Amino acid sequence: MPFAKNPSLRCLSTLATTISFAALTTAQIDIGTTDASDGNLSGNNIILDLSLATTGTWNGVSPIPGRGIYDPQKWAVIYKFDSVSVSSLSFLPHPSGCPVVILVQNNCTLAGWTIPPTVGGFPGGLNSFAGPGSAGLGLGGGQASILNDTGSGPGSYATPGVGGSPTMPAGDPYGNPAIIPLVGGSGGGSASLVGWRLGAAGGGAILIACRNSVAVSGAVVANGNSNQYPASPGSGGAIRIVANSIAGNGSGELYAQGGANVGVGGLGRIRLEANTFGTWGIGQPAPSLATVGATAKIWPASSDPSVKVLTVNNIAAPADPGAPMQSPDVQLNAAGSFAVALECRNVPLDGSWEVSVRGVPRSGLATVYPCTLSGGNQALSTWVVSIPFTEGLQVIQGRAKKVSGSRPGR
């Protein structure tokens, strides 16, 4: 029987971001494009189906107005609208599970927007009636429970999930306040109670960037899911809004909360970047605020740290891995320990950063494997680690992060 292994979820890096505040009078901001080939978006009870997007480059003209473009390199479906005024908007996922980016040339009014976990969030652990289930996916995925009638670990994102045990803990926090790169929440682990229960998914992720003003007149929600006892909830997702001005008019509500059942999923992230801000209503968590200036940073810069899986047992990983826990991106034909190679860019080699791989088998506990530097320099380096593979699928995800308490040059 062939041994199918999935080598890579979307690989992410933890970025250090410096924010400066300044008094600006910019009438419009630069969002990287003046294209509005998706037309206007207006009305009530609208559903955007990300699976209808054409694959291409994000700044290309949308071949079919209103359907957007899926850019595998950016891992996002991008819509480029002239204006947006929508109450009650929801989304259907792209097959890649990527986040959604909405770029607006004029003004944007939103209320009642729901970003489901399938749009940029990571799934919860899967069940298995023949043995243990799996841990939650994503860098903050909660640990699976391998004991009958025992709770598993909740998903984490900006904060750790609460309620995991020492043997089935919550996942590790990850990401940065700027939400660059754009990524959603992590899933909770699966657990058993007369048959395994699915872990709940982490919240989805959205970026809204507008040259003029964004008015939030109601709720925008990117919460993590809950699930049946004793499985664990997912963490909250991510909401990032960038504009010359952002107003809540006292009623704007932004939510990126974790789900709740056995414990509570960690909080997600909310980021608001503008030159002027209005008042806000309730929401959770409190947003991170920054002055946007004249030019918005929509995507990670080429100088930002990044990491991706290169090979598994010398077999190249695909450029756009799916990691669906259903079919392999890389297939191995025997069990054993095999080398996984990661490519890192702009990751310091002085010990102030660490590189690792999180392995999530289809059945059993998740494990974090520290990597060893194989060669290269800070601009471009290769890291390797040997990981055990048993029969069945395994998702692996690379991570580069700054070591807690480290200083430049250490």
Side-chain angles (χ1 to χ4, degrees):
M1 174 181 291
F3 288 73
K5 305 298 165 211
N6 194 322
S8 177
L9 268 174
R10 187 61 47 181
C11 298
L12 308 173
S13 61
T14 301
L15 309 182
T17 303
T18 301
I19 302 166
S20 62
F21 291 83
L24 297 169
T25 58
T26 307
Q28 290 184 325
I29 63 170
D30 181 357
I31 59 173
T33 181
T34 58
D35 178 21
S37 54
D38 285 303
N40 294 317
L41 182 66
S42 62
N44 300 319
N45 301 315
I46 292 176
I47 299 174
L48 289 179
D49 187 346
L50 276 62
S51 71
L52 300 178
T54 302
T55 299
T57 56
W58 75 274
N59 53 358
V61 174
S62 293
I64 304 176
R67 294 192 176 181
I69 289 178
Y70 170 61
D71 188 331
Q73 298 302 312
K74 302 301 186 185
W75 193 53
V77 168
I78 301 97
Y79 296 94
K80 298 184 287 294
F81 294 113
D82 183 64
S83 64
V84 173
S85 180
V86 177
S87 295
S88 186
L89 176 68
S90 58
F91 302 88
L92 296 177
H94 188 269
S96 69
C98 67
V100 61
V101 173
I102 295 179
L103 305 178
V104 185
Q105 293 304 312
N106 287 295
N107 298 318
C108 178
T109 301
L110 57 152
W113 288 30
T114 301
I115 302 90
T118 51
V119 176
F122 293 96
L126 299 179
N127 59 2
S128 173
F129 292 97
S134 64
L137 298 185
L139 290 173
Q143 189 62 279
S145 169
I146 59 174
L147 300 175
N148 189 58
D149 200 11
T150 302
S152 53
S156 302
Y157 189 6
T159 64
V162 177
S165 70
T167 54
M168 277 74 72
D172 294 330
Y174 60 98
N176 58 83
I179 318 181
I180 299 176
L182 179 66
V183 63
S186 294
S190 65
S192 177
L193 178 64
V194 192
W196 288 93
R197 304 294 192 192
L198 295 170
I206 188 171
L207 163 61
I208 303 162
C210 181
R211 293 185 71 198
N212 287 337
S213 65
V214 170
V216 186
S217 58
V220 179
V221 180
N223 289 339
N225 278 352
S226 302
N227 215 332
Q228 291 177 292
Y229 174 86
S232 287
S235 73
I239 300 169
R240 184 179 175 217
I241 302 176
V242 182
N244 182 51
S245 66
I246 302 175
N249 300 324
S251 59
E253 302 175 6
L254 305 176
Y255 294 94
Q257 301 178 107
N261 45 26
V262 179
V264 179
L267 292 174
R269 296 184 182 276
I270 298 174
R271 175 76 162 190
L272 304 179
E273 299 177 35
N275 295 315
T276 59
F277 293 89
T279 57
W280 288 88
I282 59 175
Q284 184 71 14
S288 165
L289 304 178
T291 298
V292 65
T295 302
K297 182 177 180 180
I298 304 299
W299 310 109
S302 59
S303 58
D304 287 338
S306 66
V307 57
K308 69 177 182 179
V309 176
L310 279 179
T311 61
V312 179
N313 194 30
N314 293 318
I315 303 171
D320 187 21
M325 273 288 195
Q326 295 171 348
S327 60
D329 287 326
V330 167
Q331 179 131 349
L332 304 175
N333 295 318
S337 292
F338 299 103
V340 175
L342 304 182
E343 176 188 278
C344 292
R345 294 182 180 272
N346 306 306
V347 172
L349 309 183
D350 58 5
S352 61
W353 282 59
E354 60 185 23
V355 176
S356 63
V357 171
R358 183 175 187 260
V360 182
R362 176 62 180 80
S363 178
L365 300 176
T367 303
V368 175
Y369 302 94
C371 297
T372 302
L373 177 65
S374 175
N377 52 36
Q378 179 168 320
L380 178 63
S381 59
T382 303
W383 300 69
V384 295
V385 63
S386 181
I387 294 177
F389 290 89
T390 56
E391 184 175 0
L393 290 162
Q394 180 171 189
V395 171
I396 62 174
Q397 186 172 17
R399 183 181 191 183
K401 69 173 183 177
K402 190 173 183 180
V403 178
S404 177
S406 65
R407 299 176 182 173
R410 286 184 64 182

